[in-house]
Amino acid sequence: MKFGLRYASLGRYANGPAALELAQAAEAAGFDSIWTVEHVVVPHGYQSRYPYSETGRMGAGLEDFPIPDPLIWLAYIAAATRSLKLGTAILILPQRNPVVTAKAVATLDHLAGGRRVLLGIGVGWLAEEFASLGIPFEDRGPRTDEYVAAMRALWSQERASFAGRFVSFRDVFCRPLPAGGRIPIIVGGDTRAAARRAGRLGDGTFRPAAGRWSCWTRCGAPPSRRDAIRPTSRSRSRRRPIRPRSRRSPGEA
């Protein structure tokens, strides 16, 4: 069993010196991984229900608190560590340009020495945040599926091409490539849709509401992909147990 630190980029660790201190201490103590979170903006007075809290609000109800960009924060601590895995828990993928994101993630992997990045992704839940970014909330599920396929094409093909509903490109070079031509993708969420997405597309699944522990576990895969799947990793969480949703909710994607 391997352990990681979750919510590592929040609170006092949003600041540079404290972030480095935390990452180096975690590595020295034998932790396997460190994980960030993401929200580009938190709209004041949002009405969307946070699915991982009994109150329906995140951050103990706070709205105004620092949430650094996860990839930039991880790049910062990567330079001060040697083996600590660098995870996002999660990156809200449908809010991002997949080509730019593929480039940024591959660059992080390359600069960190290779095979250190664990890309946790999710579809998001905060409709008001999507509206602030000018991105449709309703199609975030199929958008996420397509973005995963497009990013994997950029990471694995020498001259990449992809044609989809939301993103298309033809005969492009995207360098540097990640080590081994892939980044492990961990699919977050506690809904049936998230579980199905993890089974179809993921190298693992991230369960954010598993009592005191949040964990990601590897998914089954064809033999050609098994060498890219990481062992089970668990990370500390202070959440109370939340009952997984058994029915599809209106906001599920």
Side-chain angles (χ1 to χ4, degrees):
M1 184 181 295
K2 298 182 180 181
F3 293 86
L5 292 180
R6 195 175 175 210
Y7 306 124
S9 57
L10 299 181
R12 65 182 291 259
Y13 303 111
N15 298 315
L20 295 183
E21 179 184 3
L22 176 66
Q24 290 172 334
E27 187 169 68
F31 281 88
D32 175 70
S33 55
I34 195 165
W35 301 79
T36 62
V37 299
E38 176 175 51
H39 280 288
V40 178
V41 296
V42 179
H44 175 60
Y46 65 86
Q47 297 300 305
S48 299
R49 182 173 179 80
Y50 181 55
Y52 309 119
S53 167
E54 293 174 342
T55 67
R57 308 290 291 180
M58 65 176 175
L62 298 176
E63 296 176 345
D64 182 10
F65 59 96
I67 308 176
D69 180 274
L71 298 180
I72 294 176
W73 192 92
L74 289 172
Y76 184 74
I77 67 161
T81 54
R82 297 177 60 86
S83 60
L84 195 66
K85 300 294 192 304
L86 310 168
T88 57
I90 49 76
L91 203 73
I92 308 173
L93 188 58
Q95 292 182 352
R96 289 174 163 261
N97 181 301
V99 179
V100 175
T101 301
K103 176 79 167 191
V105 172
T107 300
L108 173 60
D109 177 78
H110 178 74
L111 293 177
R115 304 186 189 278
R116 289 180 63 189
V117 177
L118 301 171
L119 185 62
I121 65 164
V123 300
W125 59 272
L126 187 51
E128 294 88 343
E129 181 179 19
F130 278 76
S132 297
L133 298 172
I135 298 171
F137 183 70
E138 293 74 16
D139 63 14
R140 68 196 189 284
R143 189 181 293 271
T144 296
D145 295 350
E146 187 172 300
Y147 284 7
V148 168
M151 291 193 302
R152 282 183 167 151
L154 290 164
W155 292 334
S156 62
Q157 298 176 16
E158 283 296 316
R159 193 170 66 237
S161 296
F162 184 86
R165 173 185 169 193
F166 303 105
V167 58
S168 297
F169 46 84
R170 182 178 178 83
D171 291 337
V172 300
F173 295 101
C174 188
R175 300 291 187 271
L177 294 174
R182 66 179 294 108
I183 300 288
I185 292 180
I186 319 301
V187 178
D190 70 340
T191 64
R192 289 182 177 179
R196 289 192 295 267
R197 181 169 293 109
R200 292 195 320 270
L201 303 175
D203 295 302
T205 178
F206 195 98
R207 294 176 291 169
R212 290 192 62 201
W213 298 95
S214 295
C215 64
W216 78 265
T217 55
R218 62 182 180 179
C219 293
S224 61
R225 289 180 53 203
R226 286 178 185 161
D227 60 350
I229 297 176
R230 300 292 184 182
T232 298
S233 179
R234 294 177 182 265
S235 57
R236 277 284 190 183
S237 172
R238 296 178 180 177
R239 299 192 187 283
R240 296 178 180 178
I242 305 296
R243 182 178 299 173
R245 285 175 277 170
S246 59
R247 297 181 180 178
R248 189 178 182 90
S249 68
E252 187 176 339

